[in-house]
Amino acid sequence: MNNLTDKQKRFHQQYGTWAVVTGASDGIGKEIAARLAESGFNLVLVARRKPLLETIATQLRQTSGIETRVIAADLDNRTGIQEVIQQSTDLDVGLLVAAAGFGTTGEFLKNPLESEASMLKVNCHAAMALTHVFGNRFIKRQRGGIILFSSILAFQGVPKSANYAATKGYIQTLVEGLRPELKPYGVDILACAPGPVQTGFATRANMKMNQALTAKDVAQATLKALGKTTTVHPGGLSILLEGLLTPLPRWVRTLILTQVMAGMTKHQTS
């Protein structure tokens, strides 16, 4: 802590010395963990792939001198969620970053029900459950922060990504409702709503993305916005799209995003 800047020290004063980051093995979660480590946060790293998590944890300890705890957990079931809750009770956690999540594309009725249900559990139920538990911990501390992940797709229905957009709509609405509830207790909550991002998400969702942000760009913008606003739109493209789409009726936004998604998923039918 002695080598931290004044800004980093203020961040620690608000959010403590430990942070829980889910989805920490890849993409935005991994980059946020790296940025937090640089700022001297000890980290609870959560993902399914334990060997990869342990490698990342070792690297962060060596480069930043922090403490780490690895939790290999699948957040599409209650057991995985409980592991995160129970294995962090002895730590002074002041920041939750619920970055775990994935997407599906294609026509909803043609996709396997199992994958659509799993996405709902990870993107919505796990984020909700962890927010409930850690939010109550933070209220007792009278300080803390929560970061959840929305999307540019969260603000309207999106054909070929209907269920994914719906899961992000849930997160966006949850954050907007919780922010005034948590503020009197000194707890900040933020929704990050990026556009296309260069992560493993696109591969899993079978999408081809152009003009995508890097996960590092999203991580930096997100941490910078925590405590200052309800929603952050990282990157110029996301800001531009939100500015253009917001004044329009939802059905018009759906038509526009239909064309965007058609371009990203065109290869699926070619």
Side-chain angles (χ1 to χ4, degrees), residues 1 4-16 39 41 143 188 228:
M1 291 274 295
L4 299 181
T5 66
D6 290 340
K7 183 177 180 180
Q8 290 172 332
K9 289 178 181 178
R10 288 194 297 270
F11 206 71
H12 275 272
Q13 289 172 357
Q14 175 63 19
Y15 306 117
S39 296
F41 273 85
R143 60 192 176 102
D188 298 321
K228 299 177 182 178

Side-chain angles (χ1 to χ4, degrees), residues 139 142-143 178-188:
I139 284 175
Q142 292 290 294
R143 60 192 176 102
L178 284 179
R179 189 166 190 242
E181 289 187 15
L182 296 176
K183 188 175 181 180
Y185 300 99
V187 179
D188 298 321

Side-chain angles (χ1 to χ4, degrees), residues 79-117:
T79 300
I81 295 170
Q82 283 301 120
E83 287 178 3
V84 177
I85 294 168
Q86 293 171 358
Q87 293 188 43
S88 61
T89 54
D90 61 322
L91 303 175
D92 183 29
V93 175
L95 180 61
L96 168 67
V97 182
F102 69 95
T104 61
T105 59
E107 294 183 27
F108 173 71
L109 296 181
K110 294 181 180 179
N111 288 341
L113 176 59
E114 293 77 11
S115 62
E116 296 294 329

